[in-house]
C-alpha cells in the first residue's frame, strides 16, 4: 500500500515541479517586459485582474441558488 502512496506522491511532485517551472518561465519574461514598458504593464495588469476575477464571479453564480438570493417571483 505504501508503494502506491509513494508512486502517486512522486507523480504529484513531478506535476508540481513542472507547473512551477512553466509558471516561472512565463512570469519572469512578462515581469521584465512590464518593468520596461508602461503600456505592457497596463495590459498585463488588466489581464491578470480579469483572470483573478473569473473564479470569484463563478462562485457568486453558484452561491445564488444555494442561499436563495434568486427568488421565483
Amino acid at each position: 500500500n505504501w508503494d502506491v502512496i509513494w508512486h502517486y506522491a512522486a507523480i504529484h511532485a513531478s506535476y508540481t515541479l513542472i507547473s512551477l517551472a512553466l509558471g516561472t518561465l512565463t512570469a519572469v519574461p512578462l515581469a521584465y517586459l512590464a518593468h520596461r514598458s508602461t503600456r505592457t504593464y497596463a495590459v498585463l495588469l488588466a489581464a491578470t485582474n480579469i483572470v483573478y476575477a473569473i473564479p470569484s464571479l463563478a462562485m457568486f453564480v453558484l452561491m445564488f441558488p444555494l442561499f436563495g438570493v434568486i427568488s421565483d417571483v
Side-chain angles (χ1 to χ4, degrees), residues 13-59:
S14 67
Y15 287 161
T16 302
L17 291 174
I18 290 169
S19 65
L20 181 65
L22 289 175
T24 302
L25 288 174
T26 304
V28 170
L30 289 176
Y32 178 75
L33 289 174
H35 179 72
R36 302 284 293 166
S37 169
T38 307
R39 178 179 284 174
T40 307
Y41 173 77
V43 170
L44 286 175
L45 184 64
T48 54
N49 282 334
I50 290 170
V51 169
Y52 282 136
I54 289 173
S56 60
L57 291 175
M59 186 57 77

